[in-house]
Amino acid sequence: MSLCCLFPDLIPPSVCNLLNSSTIYANNEVSLAEVDIYGFDYDYTLALYSDALNTMIYNTARDFLIEHFKYPEGIRKYDYIPNFAARGLHYDIQKGLLMKIDAFHYIQLGTVYRGLNPVPDEEVLRLYGGTHHVPLQQVSGFYGKVSHCGPKVKQFMDIFSIPEMTLLAVANDFFISNDIEYDPEHLYKDVSEAIGMVHIKGYILVMAEVERYQIYQAHSSHVLLWSSHSDISDCRDKGMRYMVGKDWRDFFDVVIVQADKPHFFNDCVKPFRRLDGNGDLQWDKINSLDKGQIYKQGNLYDFLRLTGWRGSSVLYFGDHLYSDLADLMLRHGWRTGAIVPELDLETKVVNTEQYAQSLTWLQALTGLLERMQMHRDSQSREVLQDWLKEREELRLRTKNLFNPQFGSIFRTCHNPTYFSRRLCRFSDVYMASISCLLNYDLSYTFYPRRTPLQHEAPLWMDQLCTGCMKTPFLEEMAHIR
């Protein structure tokens, strides 16, 4: 029997429901009183989409594979699998494996999939040379780009990439199940091209049926009124009309379409072009970016020169950590806000009593393991093995609460995920949706939580919320040098 059953009061009262999905979380201190300009990406920032969009992307790309790339007709039998994949996963292009990697480049065992089936831990270790660590040179670059030579491991950071990961898994599964020889690299390339074709055709479909695919954000206009100055990249006129109204341009000082991010942020080649009321390109030289006009392409260097908007006086919101936020923060010193829709579901899970019980006992059990390993007698060794087994069972149970295949997008067993580390690096604040801004006024300051480092004494709140001391049993470990 689990020792957890012996401690009914292990969880402090009211430990559940502590988190609010409308909260804005701070990685860095940000004072809104110092922000003069607010900028917004469009997809999954101003505009959210229904699950029907993922199904449409998957179905259309699957049909492209069959009809244009001449893939076997049998793949059409695979329907879209909601909630199979999760954002932030890595894909080994050469091995055809989908997996979750933590902030230290270690593969989380139990989250490696070939097709639709998990790969045994022993096989993962064999495939990666006896370790589950993926070397830096094999992981996609700092901005998530795949190297043009050598081993290739691609990170899927975009919310739109979830149907792409599912299609990769499905196609791999078809070939493996039917014992058909294939090259995983060719498959990855073909699926990527099929998805690219969908994005060209798909936006036409979305705009034609905006009510079906785009979730109406009732608070969008309120947020834009809340932010006194705004700029928007890659707008969709019909989508903005659907969310805000026909006068949506009145909310923005500058409107830019087809910005071609992330090249917009780090290239200085493409000039701004003005569009007329019919959407046709004009030929005049752009000497200023005027309200009420729509501009195409351009680059950030000209944008900064023409507007004078620089540094921490600008706060830009986007969902893609690499193409939306990284360059703005690292190269130009803008404040950045990440939109993470998955926070809504993950917060609900964290607030359940089942999660609180599992996590609290997992923390307490880890503390007991630290203490028990000091004893070398056979009985203590037996107890230690039982507790290690129970700890692994608790980890699996906690993971399955989020996603049975890959768990939380923010954590592996005990470390932050690769996605989570990038989220902290490239965003000052993050939230589930831009409507969270309505809970704060324009003079609010966001303060990051001071959580203790591993060598620091735990705060009393840390002890209260975890149910155990974070510091190891110092007296019994004092002999360790």
Side-chain angles (χ1 to χ4, degrees):
M1 181 179 69
S2 168
L3 290 179
C4 186
C5 301
L6 304 178
F7 297 94
D9 298 325
L10 192 62
I11 302 175
S14 303
V15 74
C16 298
N17 300 316
L18 286 177
L19 298 180
N20 186 333
S21 60
S22 297
T23 300
I24 294 178
Y25 300 97
N27 295 319
N28 193 17
E29 186 171 320
V30 177
S31 173
L32 295 183
E34 299 175 0
V35 175
D36 298 319
I37 308 298
Y38 292 85
F40 301 91
D41 180 43
Y42 182 78
D43 291 321
Y44 282 106
T45 300
L46 284 177
L48 300 181
Y49 296 95
S50 67
D51 292 337
L53 180 62
N54 282 344
T55 303
M56 184 273 285
I57 293 174
Y58 171 87
N59 288 340
T60 309
R62 180 196 58 193
D63 294 343
F64 271 134
L65 275 183
I66 296 169
E67 297 164 10
H68 293 268
F69 294 93
K70 307 306 178 183
Y71 273 63
E73 184 68 29
I75 295 178
R76 207 186 300 270
K77 297 179 181 179
Y78 288 82
D79 293 326
Y80 178 65
I81 308 172
N83 304 318
F84 171 77
R87 185 153 61 128
L89 298 178
H90 284 75
Y91 183 76
D92 191 316
I93 297 170
Q94 295 178 325
K95 297 181 177 67
L97 301 177
L98 189 63
M99 67 191 76
K100 187 163 78 169
I101 295 179
D102 72 11
F104 301 96
H105 295 196
Y106 281 91
I107 300 169
Q108 182 182 355
L109 296 179
T111 69
V112 181
Y113 276 72
R114 179 186 288 114
L116 300 175
N117 297 303
V119 180
D121 294 347
E122 298 78 13
E123 185 176 353
V124 174
L125 292 174
R126 179 179 60 80
L127 288 170
Y128 289 92
T131 178
H132 55 279
H133 179 265
V134 181
L136 176 63
Q137 66 271 19
Q138 293 186 20
V139 180
S140 53
F142 194 66
Y143 295 102
K145 298 178 182 178
V146 178
S147 172
H148 294 295
C149 59
K152 302 171 184 176
V153 180
K154 158 79 174 180
Q155 185 185 20
F156 287 104
M157 189 64 81
D158 194 347
I159 299 177
F160 282 126
S161 65
I162 292 177
E164 180 177 359
M165 287 185 273
T166 306
L167 184 56
L168 280 168
V170 159
N172 275 293
D173 188 79
F174 173 83
F175 286 125
I176 294 169
S177 300
N178 291 277
D179 197 24
I180 299 174
E181 186 176 349
Y182 71 106
D183 188 328
E185 289 196 67
H186 294 333
L187 173 61
Y188 170 78
K189 180 177 179 293
D190 293 342
V191 169
S192 296
E193 289 188 20
I195 290 289
M197 295 169 73
V198 172
H199 283 303
I200 295 173
K201 181 180 178 182
Y203 280 128
I204 299 174
L205 296 174
V206 171
M207 291 303 103
E209 300 183 71
V210 65
E211 294 84 1
R212 178 183 179 186
Y213 295 112
Q214 186 168 314
I215 298 175
Y216 176 64
Q217 287 227 76
H219 298 304
S220 292
S221 58
H222 299 296
V223 170
L224 298 179
L225 283 172
W226 175 92
S227 55
S228 55
H229 296 84
S230 303
D231 114 82
I232 181 170
S233 296
D234 205 14
C235 275
R236 308 296 190 277
D237 180 70
K238 190 170 183 179
M240 291 300 294
R241 286 173 178 264
Y242 176 65
M243 291 189 300
V244 180
K246 64 179 181 179
D247 299 325
W248 64 267
R249 293 186 203 175
D250 295 341
F251 291 100
F252 299 96
D253 293 313
V254 177
V255 176
I256 304 169
V257 301
Q258 298 179 28
D260 191 24
K261 296 172 297 178
H263 302 294
F264 178 87
F265 297 129
N266 49 43
D267 293 341
C268 55
V269 177
K270 295 180 180 178
F272 283 105
R273 299 284 298 273
R274 187 169 60 86
L275 301 179
D276 64 14
N278 298 321
D280 296 325
L281 282 172
Q282 301 300 292
W283 306 100
D284 53 318
K285 182 177 177 61
I286 304 301
N287 295 311
S288 63
L289 298 176
D290 302 322
K291 187 169 184 175
Q293 299 294 322
I294 296 181
Y295 301 92
K296 180 180 178 180
Q297 294 180 345
N299 62 84
L300 186 62
Y301 299 94
D302 284 344
F303 179 85
L304 296 175
R305 176 176 57 83
L306 294 171
T307 63
W309 297 347
R310 296 179 181 277
S312 57
S313 63
V314 185
L315 174 55
Y316 187 84
F317 297 91
D319 68 285
H320 198 300
L321 302 183
Y322 295 138
S323 63
D324 289 340
L325 307 181
D327 281 308
L328 291 177
M329 168 177 276
L330 299 179
R331 294 174 182 263
H332 304 287
W334 286 19
R335 296 294 196 174
T336 56
I339 304 301
V340 188
E342 295 91 342
L343 267 172
D344 188 47
L345 176 61
E346 297 232 354
T347 298
K348 290 177 182 177
V349 172
V350 171
N351 281 338
T352 62
E353 184 175 354
Q354 184 179 6
Y355 176 85
Q357 288 178 342
S358 296
L359 183 63
T360 303
W361 179 234
L362 184 60
Q363 293 285 83
L365 189 59
T366 300
L368 291 172
L369 284 167
E370 285 184 311
R371 186 172 187 174
M372 181 59 70
Q373 67 183 335
M374 298 293 100
H375 301 280
R376 306 300 181 182
D377 60 280
S378 58
Q379 186 175 8
S380 296
R381 295 285 93 188
E382 184 177 346
V383 172
L384 184 67
Q385 292 304 312
D386 288 341
W387 284 355
L388 285 170
K389 181 180 178 181
E390 182 176 356
R391 183 170 181 249
E392 289 304 311
E393 292 172 351
L394 276 170
R395 284 176 163 183
L396 180 61
R397 187 187 312 165
T398 305
K399 180 195 112 188
N400 290 345
L401 291 174
F402 297 95
N403 177 294
Q405 292 77 235
F406 302 103
S408 168
I409 71 169
F410 299 101
R411 279 197 175 275
T412 58
C413 294
H414 49 266
N415 291 330
T417 59
Y418 198 94
F419 170 84
S420 188
R421 177 63 59 87
R422 288 295 186 265
L423 177 67
C424 293
R425 183 64 186 91
F426 298 146
S427 66
D428 291 290
V429 295
Y430 64 98
M431 65 210 76
S433 73
I434 61 166
S435 62
C436 298
L437 290 167
L438 297 175
N439 297 314
Y440 306 86
D441 62 41
L442 286 166
S443 62
Y444 192 87
T445 298
F446 296 100
Y447 297 99
R449 298 175 182 174
R450 181 184 174 89
T451 55
L453 300 174
Q454 295 299 314
H455 67 276
E456 295 178 327
L459 304 175
W460 67 270
M461 182 57 73
D462 182 62
Q463 299 174 40
L464 174 65
C465 294
T466 61
C468 69
M469 291 290 290
K470 184 175 179 181
T471 303
F473 297 87
L474 298 179
E475 291 184 3
E476 297 181 16
M477 300 182 71
H479 67 281
I480 297 177
R481 293 290 182 265

